[in-house]
């Protein structure tokens, strides 16, 4: 539910002025109280039929370390967005276990742009950086799914030029090049 520009606040805190090199997310080791239908494990994957334990290496001990240097000046408010890509972060092993190798972008919100539009409901919309990386690599900056009305937003993109790729079963892949965020 947290896509198409919809976010959820993780908190607010005051930090002393200075240079920071990382953020650590400490994960809970108990199931949250008050959930209407609580899962059986504090960190799990719902496969459509059952809950499976999700192993998060060092998640409980040292936390998830997000490397993103930034400077804080006194008297200012800074807002950072943590963009968690579940489809790139959760993997099933050959033994059938689930493990998380988190893919989380740290984004300074005031330095971003967005691309919004309309496609068929359920279409997968991807923003690809228009400039190819070395050796012909392609970097997908963000992916979202068009909502039931076909609306989508690829938010919090680094300013620049993107190619949009739209995929929907039963249709040809559509590409629009040179979109500016």
């Amino acid at each position: 539910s947290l896509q198409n520009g919809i976010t959820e606040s993780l908190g607010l805190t005051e930090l002393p002025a200075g240079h920071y090199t990382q953020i650590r997310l400490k994960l809970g080791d108990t199931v949250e109280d008050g959930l209407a239908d609580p899962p059986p494990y504090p960190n799990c994957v719902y496969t459509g039929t059952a809950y499976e334990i999700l192993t998060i290496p060092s998640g409980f001990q040292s936390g998830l370390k997000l490397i993103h240097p930034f400077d804080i000046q006194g008297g200012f408010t800074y807002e950072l967005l943590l963009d968690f890509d579940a489809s790139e972060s959760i993997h099933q092993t050959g033994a059938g276990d689930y493990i998380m190798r988190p893919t989380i972008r740290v984004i300074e919100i005031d330095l971003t742009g967005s691309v919004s539009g309309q496609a068929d409901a359920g279409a997968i919309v991807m923003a690809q950086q228009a400039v190819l990386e070395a050796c012909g690599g392609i970097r997908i900056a963000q992916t979202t799914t068009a909502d039931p009305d076909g609306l989508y937003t690829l938010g919090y993109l680094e300013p620049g030029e993107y190619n949009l790729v739209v995929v929907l079963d039963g249709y040809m892949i559509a590409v629009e090049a040179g979109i500016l965020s």
Side-chain angles (χ1 to χ4, degrees):
S1 62
L2 298 178
Q3 60 179 356
N4 286 319
I6 298 170
T7 62
E8 182 72 33
S9 177
L10 291 178
L12 178 68
T13 192
E14 288 191 31
L15 296 173
H19 179 73
Y20 294 83
T21 59
Q22 62 182 263
I23 298 169
R24 285 188 188 245
L25 301 176
K26 294 287 189 158
L27 302 178
D29 57 2
T30 60
V31 175
E32 185 178 326
D33 290 336
L35 294 176
D37 186 21
Y41 315 109
N43 295 291
C44 57
V45 173
Y46 184 67
T47 63
T49 57
Y51 287 100
E52 300 291 338
I53 293 174
L54 176 62
T55 302
I56 305 170
S58 301
F60 299 117
Q61 293 81 23
S62 62
L64 300 176
K65 185 177 10 174
L66 309 177
I67 305 298
H68 182 83
F70 58 95
D71 293 305
I72 299 290
Q73 295 179 16
F76 290 93
T77 299
Y78 296 86
E79 188 173 5
L80 298 177
L81 178 91
L82 305 181
D83 184 17
F84 173 69
D85 188 338
S87 66
E88 292 293 323
S89 299
I90 299 171
H91 306 276
Q92 189 172 19
T93 67
D97 299 327
Y98 289 89
I99 188 167
M100 185 165 83
R101 290 188 292 272
T103 301
I104 304 173
R105 292 186 311 143
V106 179
I107 303 163
E108 295 177 51
I109 288 182
D110 60 344
L111 302 177
T112 65
S114 66
V115 175
S116 297
Q118 188 165 10
D120 288 341
I124 306 297
V125 183
M126 296 171 275
Q128 170 199 10
Q129 285 186 327
V131 178
L132 294 180
E133 295 179 359
C135 300
I138 296 174
R139 180 175 177 268
I140 301 296
Q142 196 174 131
T143 302
T144 192
T145 303
D147 70 14
D149 294 325
L151 301 175
Y152 66 86
T153 299
L154 296 157
Y156 312 109
L157 295 168
E158 293 177 16
E161 189 173 331
Y162 292 86
N163 299 324
L164 293 187
V165 180
V166 181
V167 178
L168 184 62
D169 285 344
Y171 293 88
M172 290 181 59
I173 294 174
V175 176
E176 188 167 341
I179 305 297
L180 297 176
S181 71

